[in-house]
Amino acid sequence: MSTADDNARAKSQTRRAKSSGARLYAVQALFQMEAGGQSADRVMTEFQNWRLEAEDEDGRYIEADDKLFTRIIDDVVTWQSKIDQATDRGLVAKWPIDRIDPVLRALFRAAGAELVSPKAPPKVVITEYVRLAEAFFPDGKEPKFVNAVLDHMARDLRPDAF
């Protein structure tokens, strides 16, 4: 392989890592907004000033695409009703979104924001958020549940992509 191929692969991996970091931080920010009753502006400012460019407790740096992070939070605020309705349609009738785990709720809202916007392919969105579910719930059934609900949401919000 050539150096150009190696450089392109490295850039692609960096871009994917930054997108994954933005999604992780978006889920955390949405959880914090709900749990603490804080505004989107306040939480986004905190994340942008203190978390998006900070090392974690193990000294690791999790890169994040600031534009994607901001877009997800803004789109959740703008489209929350539409996202929550799509999530409700993907859930069992007796379990509306307000009765599920708050981490899952934040995850569904972040993923829903990306599904409302046609920027990322639905299959990429589903894959990325199932990976996040695996990180948040490594020993549970939640990742399969997330996959099923997001698949339903994607078909509901972006039927043209299937």
Side-chain angles (χ1 to χ4, degrees):
M1 277 196 231
S2 71
T3 304
D5 290 339
D6 291 342
N7 288 342
R9 184 174 297 112
K11 284 181 183 180
S12 176
Q13 289 173 340
T14 299
R15 190 171 42 255
R16 182 166 181 260
K18 286 183 175 186
S19 295
S20 295
R23 290 177 174 110
L24 169 67
Y25 289 131
V27 170
Q28 291 174 338
L30 291 167
F31 177 87
Q32 182 175 326
M33 286 165 54
E34 182 177 342
Q38 298 174 346
S39 71
D41 289 337
R42 180 176 177 183
V43 172
M44 283 196 311
T45 299
E46 177 185 328
F47 270 75
Q48 289 164 336
N49 289 340
W50 301 102
R51 296 190 187 184
L52 293 183
E53 299 198 16
E55 293 179 352
D56 67 10
E57 59 275 354
D58 296 325
R60 294 175 296 186
Y61 176 71
I62 300 174
E63 292 185 88
D65 179 340
D66 182 49
K67 289 179 183 176
L68 177 59
F69 169 79
T70 301
R71 189 174 72 236
I72 291 170
I73 302 301
D74 285 343
D75 285 352
V76 168
V77 170
T78 301
W79 299 106
Q80 185 170 335
S81 178
K82 182 176 184 174
I83 293 165
D84 286 357
Q85 289 171 7
T87 305
D88 279 342
R89 288 189 293 272
L91 295 168
V92 176
K94 294 183 181 183
W95 288 99
I97 192 167
D98 60 340
R99 290 187 63 193
I100 64 172
D101 181 276
V103 173
L104 288 175
R105 195 166 34 251
L107 193 144
F108 288 139
R109 286 179 175 154
E114 289 200 68
L115 292 171
V116 168
S117 170
K119 296 194 186 278
K123 291 181 181 184
V124 170
V125 173
I126 293 168
T127 299
E128 290 299 317
Y129 284 96
V130 167
R131 285 186 181 142
L132 279 177
E134 290 169 345
F136 283 116
F137 304 98
D139 299 324
K141 295 180 182 177
E142 289 86 353
K144 290 181 182 179
F145 173 65
V146 167
N147 186 55
V149 172
L150 290 182
D151 183 68
H152 190 280
M153 289 174 65
R155 292 173 190 278
D156 183 22
L157 294 168
R158 304 263 301 276
D160 56 308
F162 291 91

